[in-house]
Amino acid sequence: MFEGDDDEEGFELVELTEPKPTSAVAKVLCVGVSIIVILLLVAVIYIFAKYPFVERCKFSDSDVITPRDVNNPGVFDDLTLSEYYRVRDFLMSNSEFNLTAFDHASVTSNYVYVVELQVPEKGFVLSYLDGNVEKPPRVAKVTIVFGNNTKPPVLQYLVSLPDNNGLNMTIKPIPGPDTRTIPLPSIDKPLDKVITKYLFSQIIDNITETLYQVLMQRFNLCYHNCTTGENCLRIELFQDNKDDGYSGQFVWARFLSSDALPYTFPLGLDILIDYTSPVPEQWSIKQILLDNKGFTDIDSLLEQQNSQKGQEHVTTYNRDFHPGPDTSPRHGPRLIDPEGKRYTIHGQRVTYSKWNFDFNMSPSYGLRLFNVKFHGEMILYEISLQQILTPHTRFVSPRLFGESAYELVRGMDCPDNAVYLDSTVFINSERPKTTQNNICIFETSGNSPYRRHYQRNSDGGSGVYFGTDDYYLVVRTIATVGLFDYILDYMLRDSGEVVVKVSTTGSEDIRFVMDNINAFAEQVWRAESLNTHVFAFKADIDINGTSNRFSHVAYDRQPTSVLGRTPQAKLTTTAISSENLNKKVGPGNFQSFYVYNNGATNTNGQTRAYKIINNSPVDGYSTYANGQVFSTLHKDTEANIDFHLRKKGQHQILPYMLSDNEGLLDVDLLTWVIVGSSHVTSMEDIPSSPAVQNTCSFSIAPHNYMAQSATIQSADSIWIRPSVDDEDNLMIETFGRNLETTCFHKTVGPFEYSGNKNKVS
């Protein structure tokens, strides 16, 4: 051992001995372990080579999304930022209009209200899609409000956007109930932010200052001189939805609390304002409602309140809606895409399985689908929501469906695995605004077989099973219009079926004075009412081209004299030859509706058709429509309902499209589908009514369009049958799918939410 000296004596000598020979058993064990390790290594390498689990989990939206080409937008694509600004600047420079920038406009100004895509005439677009003509020029539809009374108050114009940057403009006739060219009267000016600004400055600010003491005594809230976060009122404007025999323009100012549930717990104070006059100084109060009592002016209300001094009750409510102590903190099931998404999004065109289609977001009509093709054949040229009616309430929000499509919450409004997309609209502003994540697209499952059958073996042995999963693509947006939230889904199935569904949730419209939660409960119980929502959809169905027919198919039970036989179903098909033959559908017989090409057949010789199945045929809705499903001749001048420009109290859907009795045999048709839901209010609607109880839908499904089910070719199928060689063994065919799922995505949200702060584009 080293002791600190430099000579050799400073080291300790260690004796080296020969190793003992290894036994034969030990050698065998070493070799065996080595072989096992090598085999395991080979197996691991093979498994990772064949099933690259690690790589399979590395998916992102960029794998399926190709950004839109803003320099060469598709014919159905929303206007680009550049196009929006070109249109705006072109109009602002036109001295004929004498326009004022929206943010600086007054009630007496001329200003641009909406700019949106105008899809070119259908015949032109179809010729372009078939490769017969060049791409049609891009066109913007512009709604201009003329406050200076030098023109009719609201007109729409079409502005063409050719590639050479030169613009031209034509007036767009607005259809009316008697003629298709008259402009709308002043009563139909939309309630926009310009008018809203003056309603507050001219009327509401003065009202709240005058009622300061009453508001504080009754509600411990105020609007004038309030403290943010402590005692501030919330005031919202709703257009009057009823026609009470007086003419003009009226809006309700609703006084609400500033908490998260203002509609569920209203204050019971509503003021009806008459703003018919073009001069804001002449606007006036038409009616005041407090405690369901009517007053004609502020002085009458103050006199009544002064007489009841000392009897006031400050309104308090129980708003503790937090989960109870027994609520499990564990997460519920989640949707995953174990091998990546099975759809792609190229700009604003989506490809999924046998489907491909375009989509866009209109500020007026919301989310729309165009050029919907199945197996390469067009089924729908367009499907879109055209009108929403809420006849049970007199309070209607002036906001449009697309303008009101706000940001979606990941993992709640749509699944984690959905692709979230932005949209840009130009409305109620002097510049376009982008809302983040207000469209989502995802694939999901119905959680039950789309179809299945088990055929039992006659001798008790193993039978044959065949089943197909119910996977389908969903394109969703959610709009909040006033009190209500509308969840709009377009669903596309491998069977060739398109399902359209609207689910309604949100706050109930309850107008009572409640001193405490028990009184509130009693009022809800006594005030059970039927809340009704009616939706008008446009379905431009094209079967083997645009030469189509529309038929009602009724099923009647016919008596029979044969013993033991039930009454037989008799099918009656009636082709609708002209527009005035669209009849109201009675509640007695089951009805189907067919769009078909009279000269086109499938391989078995049957007429190819698509049927419209109204899954929400409440008969009372025909009060607001000409039927539940009906057809009109397609005309580009009657292709949409400009429902944001309609007259007050005019609830009739399509008032002019059926008026000219045009022929409907072997022509280009439009189909209109009216669906709705009704809901009786109850205490369970606090804090908001459940969407699952307020859902309506309709289906557009193939009928003899193919010779057999399109799902027979689906890879999402399983076939189980006995082995040919050994009946005790089963052959399981999964058509190339690996049914074992090994990749689970990391949950991606909801961790980020902008609060719907629009991007100023």
Side-chain angles (χ1 to χ4, degrees), residues 198-253:
Y198 277 81
L199 283 168
F200 274 84
S201 65
Q202 295 292 323
I203 300 290
I204 297 173
D205 289 347
N206 295 330
I207 291 175
T208 57
E209 185 172 355
T210 304
L211 293 179
Y212 177 81
Q213 293 297 332
V214 173
L215 295 173
M216 290 297 293
Q217 292 168 1
R218 289 295 306 268
F219 311 115
N220 197 26
L221 297 170
C222 60
Y223 188 81
H224 167 72
N225 199 28
C226 72
T227 302
T228 303
E230 293 185 10
N231 64 343
C232 285
L233 275 169
R234 173 175 176 172
I235 299 177
E236 293 196 12
L237 301 181
F238 294 83
Q239 286 180 303
D240 186 50
N241 191 36
K242 302 296 184 182
D243 189 353
D244 293 331
Y246 50 83
S247 61
Q249 283 189 289
F250 299 89
V251 62
W252 286 98

Side-chain angles (χ1 to χ4, degrees), residues 303-340:
E303 181 180 350
Q304 190 262 3
Q305 291 298 299
N306 289 332
S307 67
Q308 295 183 354
K309 275 194 173 182
Q311 305 176 28
E312 304 91 348
H313 297 281
V314 175
T315 307
T316 59
Y317 311 114
N318 176 12
R319 296 185 175 89
D320 184 12
F321 296 112
H322 298 289
D326 297 331
T327 303
S328 172
R330 292 176 293 178
H331 216 304
R334 291 276 178 173
L335 278 179
I336 63 169
D337 297 301
E339 297 183 62

Side-chain angles (χ1 to χ4, degrees), residues 409-597:
V409 176
R410 184 183 290 274
M412 181 62 67
D413 293 326
C414 302
D416 286 312
N417 66 331
V419 169
Y420 291 77
L421 304 170
D422 304 343
S423 71
T424 302
V425 297
F426 195 135
I427 181 172
N428 253 327
S429 176
E430 65 181 52
R431 60 185 61 84
K433 293 183 293 186
T434 297
T435 301
Q436 303 177 71
N437 304 330
N438 65 345
I439 301 172
C440 72
I441 300 176
F442 58 94
E443 185 180 11
T444 187
S445 169
N447 296 316
S448 63
Y450 178 79
R451 61 186 180 91
R452 58 93 68 192
H453 181 65
Y454 176 75
Q455 181 63 51
R456 183 175 60 86
N457 193 311
S458 59
D459 61 6
S462 298
V464 176
Y465 173 91
F466 191 93
T468 302
D469 281 327
D470 186 20
Y471 292 114
Y472 52 92
L473 191 74
V474 179
V475 187
R476 172 178 296 172
T477 191
I478 303 178
T480 301
V481 183
L483 285 68
F484 306 106
D485 296 64
Y486 300 105
I487 306 170
L488 173 62
D489 287 345
Y490 296 107
M491 298 174 282
L492 297 95
R493 284 191 159 93
D494 258 357
S495 61
E497 178 184 9
V498 178
V499 180
V500 181
K501 182 176 73 172
V502 183
S503 302
T504 304
T505 179
S507 300
E508 296 296 338
D509 179 21
I510 304 170
R511 291 186 296 140
F512 296 101
V513 171
M514 292 79 66
D515 293 334
N516 54 60
I517 191 65
N518 294 324
F520 172 66
E522 182 180 357
Q523 294 288 358
V524 173
W525 175 257
R526 292 178 178 176
E528 285 185 340
S529 60
L530 190 65
N531 285 3
T532 302
H533 301 269
V534 184
F535 308 91
F537 281 90
K538 168 188 174 182
D540 190 347
I541 305 172
D542 291 333
I543 306 301
N544 279 89
T546 57
S547 179
N548 290 163
R549 295 187 177 189
F550 175 76
S551 288
H552 290 180
V553 180
Y555 300 87
D556 292 320
R557 291 290 183 182
Q558 300 295 319
T560 178
S561 59
V562 180
L563 186 64
R565 296 290 298 275
T566 59
Q568 300 300 297
K570 180 182 178 182
L571 184 149
T572 304
T573 303
T574 305
I576 306 303
S577 59
S578 64
E579 289 181 343
N580 71 340
L581 293 179
N582 285 280
K583 300 295 183 181
K584 171 179 172 291
V585 179
N589 301 324
F590 176 78
Q591 298 258 353
S592 292
F593 307 88
Y594 290 78
V595 175
Y596 58 97
N597 188 312

Side-chain angles (χ1 to χ4, degrees), residues 85-103:
Y85 283 117
R86 285 174 59 195
V87 172
R88 186 199 67 178
D89 295 345
F90 169 75
L91 293 170
M92 294 298 294
S93 64
N94 192 317
S95 59
E96 175 189 354
F97 293 137
N98 189 26
L99 295 176
T100 301
F102 188 92
D103 292 351

Side-chain angles (χ1 to χ4, degrees), residues 18-23:
E18 291 287 333
K20 296 180 180 180
T22 304
S23 67

Side-chain angles (χ1 to χ4, degrees), residues 285-356:
I285 296 174
K286 183 73 175 180
Q287 186 180 13
I288 303 174
L289 293 179
L290 178 63
D291 299 352
N292 280 337
K293 298 177 182 178
F295 302 90
T296 57
D297 53 48
I298 294 292
D299 292 338
S300 300
L301 183 147
L302 290 174
E303 181 180 350
Q304 190 262 3
Q305 291 298 299
N306 289 332
S307 67
Q308 295 183 354
K309 275 194 173 182
Q311 305 176 28
E312 304 91 348
H313 297 281
V314 175
T315 307
T316 59
Y317 311 114
N318 176 12
R319 296 185 175 89
D320 184 12
F321 296 112
H322 298 289
D326 297 331
T327 303
S328 172
R330 292 176 293 178
H331 216 304
R334 291 276 178 173
L335 278 179
I336 63 169
D337 297 301
E339 297 183 62
K341 292 176 171 52
R342 305 197 298 179
Y343 56 90
T344 59
I345 305 172
H346 187 83
Q348 291 185 227
R349 186 153 186 84
V350 179
T351 300
Y352 168 70
S353 186
K354 307 173 185 71
W355 293 98
N356 53 77

